[in-house]
Each structure stands twice: as C-alpha cells, then as structure tokens.
Amino acid sequence: MRPAERSGERTLKTAASKDAFVLARSLRVGKKAGADASRAGAALVRAIGRLVNRAVDEMLLGDKRVTSAAEGRRLLAGDEQTESLAEDIQRVVVLAVPVLRALARGARFVKLPWVIVGSTAISVGVAVRTGVREIQVLSSLVAHRLEQGTGGPADPALVKKVALDLYLHPKRKLRPTDDKLHLVRLTRKWVLGGIAGRKTAKRANQALAAAERLDSAALTASWDSVRRRADEPPPRASGAR
C-alpha cells in the first residue's frame, strides 16, 4: 500500500473514532439528562403530595367548614392567601424548574434562557398557589357533606380522595374503587396549566357543585368496601402449600 493511501486510511479511522466518541458521549449525556428529568419529576410529584396532604389536614384541624358551593365560590373569589403553606409552595416551584427545562428540551428549544424558565416557574407557582387553595375549599365542603351524612368526623383519607377526584374530573361520576391519590395527574395539570396560563375557576366551581350533591351514605359505604379489600391478604398462588 502506498504511503498516501495509508495516510488516508489512518485519517478515515481517526475521523470515524472521533465520530464514535462524540456519538457515545451524546448518548451518555442524553441518558443522564433523561434520568435527571425523571428524578426531578418524581421529586416534584412527592412535593405536591406533601403540599396537598398538609393543606387538607390543616383544614380538617379547624372547626370551620364550607357548607355550600355558593360559599366556596365566594371564598375562592376573595384574595385570601395560604401563608401557612408558602414554604411548601416555594419548594414545589424550585423542584419544577428542572422539569420545565426538560420540557423545553423536549419541545426542541435550544439553550432556553433562564429568564424564560424563571418567568414560567413563576406562572407555575401561581397555578399551584391557586390550585391548592381550590383543593382546600373543595375538601372543606366534602368534609362537611360527609360529616352531615355520618354524624361523625370525616375520614381524612376519604376527604382527600374525593376532593382530588372531583377536582380533576368534576363531571365524572364519583366511584371510588381504590384509595390512591392521583398526584401525577394533579402535577401535570398544575405544571402544564401554569405554562399555558389556563384559568381553573370554572373547573373548581364545577367541582364544588358536584361536592354539594354528594351522597355521603353511599360514598362512605363504597369507601368502607375499598378499605376492607385493601386490608385483605393477597390470594395465595395456586399450588402453594
């Protein structure tokens, strides 16, 4: 082989090696970014779960209840702030930032400026602050309806389950088949709603109206059935001794 040919072959191999290195590095970076975004999303869902649980628990510890959908609408139309939850709300906003950057990468934005991420995070913060207030008022009405129907304190887990299900799907018939809180759906609603600047007053009003129509006796019976199933031991596998 001539020297010129050997030199050309070495050049091609070197270029190919560089391309392979760049490709491998980009794949590692992509996988790491995906893993980081997944961890950030999971942390955000947990933070929103803590915020919702604390907001409802705080309401249940008080002696005041929202007794009608009209009262709930008046409260939401006011400017009352959830100062006691400010730290939890701020934590949610901080955890939302890496998720927003991941969404921006998925939308093919390149090097999204921090000022845009910051303004979007503020919008998400507004959505979260508004949303948690709506859930607090809604859960107060749910607790009132349950307490009126049973004559005793409302089960906090049931209040949270019903309030969250009504908040997410106010027009859907309420049929509790499990005791899970759909926090991923709530997180998606608040984050995407905040980015898009969607108003939630109409949906919150629909949820309040649905809460006012709750059949507390039937709901409590269904919930008792759900909890009994949850307490039952799992069935043994066939052939197990």
Side-chain angles (χ1 to χ4, degrees):
M1 183 180 293
R2 296 176 182 177
E5 292 177 348
R6 286 197 296 271
S7 176
E9 184 177 349
R10 283 197 298 272
T11 301
L12 288 173
K13 287 182 178 179
T14 301
S17 298
K18 288 181 178 178
D19 289 344
F21 174 76
V22 170
L23 177 60
R25 183 178 179 183
S26 65
L27 287 173
R28 287 196 298 272
V29 170
K31 289 179 180 178
K32 183 178 184 300
D36 290 345
S38 178
R39 285 194 293 270
L44 179 59
V45 171
R46 288 194 298 271
I48 285 181
R50 286 194 298 269
L51 173 61
V52 169
N53 276 289
R54 185 178 173 190
V56 178
D57 288 341
E58 184 180 273
M59 178 279 302
L60 289 172
L61 286 173
D63 55 359
K64 293 183 179 179
R65 294 286 184 268
V66 175
T67 59
S68 68
E71 182 185 356
R73 288 192 294 269
R74 284 195 301 272
L75 288 172
L76 293 179
D79 57 355
E80 184 176 345
Q81 300 295 317
T82 51
E83 295 297 335
S84 61
L85 302 172
E87 187 176 337
D88 296 87
I89 293 172
Q90 183 60 34
R91 184 181 297 111
V92 168
V93 173
V94 170
L95 290 172
V97 170
V99 174
L100 294 173
R101 290 191 69 84
L103 289 173
R105 284 195 295 270
R108 300 175 184 268
F109 287 109
V110 178
K111 294 183 179 179
L112 193 69
W114 274 105
V115 65
I116 297 179
V117 174
S119 62
T120 306
I122 291 172
S123 298
V124 170
V126 172
V128 171
R129 188 174 293 105
T130 301
V132 76
R133 179 60 181 156
E134 290 170 342
I135 286 180
Q136 252 190 339
V137 171
L138 176 61
S139 61
S140 182
L141 179 55
V142 169
H144 170 73
R145 293 289 299 153
L146 293 173
E147 289 164 353
Q148 289 291 103
T150 62
D155 182 344
L158 178 56
V159 172
K160 294 169 187 176
K161 172 66 176 175
V162 172
L164 198 54
D165 282 1
L166 287 178
Y167 184 75
L168 292 171
H169 302 289
K171 293 183 178 180
R172 185 178 296 178
K173 187 171 182 179
L174 196 61
R175 292 176 180 170
T177 57
D178 57 56
D179 57 357
K180 296 178 181 178
L181 299 178
H182 298 293
L183 296 171
V184 173
R185 295 179 192 174
L186 180 64
T187 302
R188 187 184 303 120
K189 175 181 175 62
W190 281 349
V191 171
L192 297 181
I195 293 173
R198 296 177 188 145
K199 302 297 182 182
T200 58
K202 182 178 179 180
R203 184 181 292 268
N205 289 340
Q206 291 172 341
L208 286 168
E212 194 172 43
R213 298 190 299 267
L214 285 177
D215 184 341
S216 56
L219 192 58
T220 301
S222 297
W223 182 248
D224 289 343
S225 177
V226 167
R227 300 309 289 265
R228 282 196 301 272
R229 288 199 303 271
D231 292 338
E232 289 176 357
R236 298 179 62 183
S238 58
R241 295 180 181 178

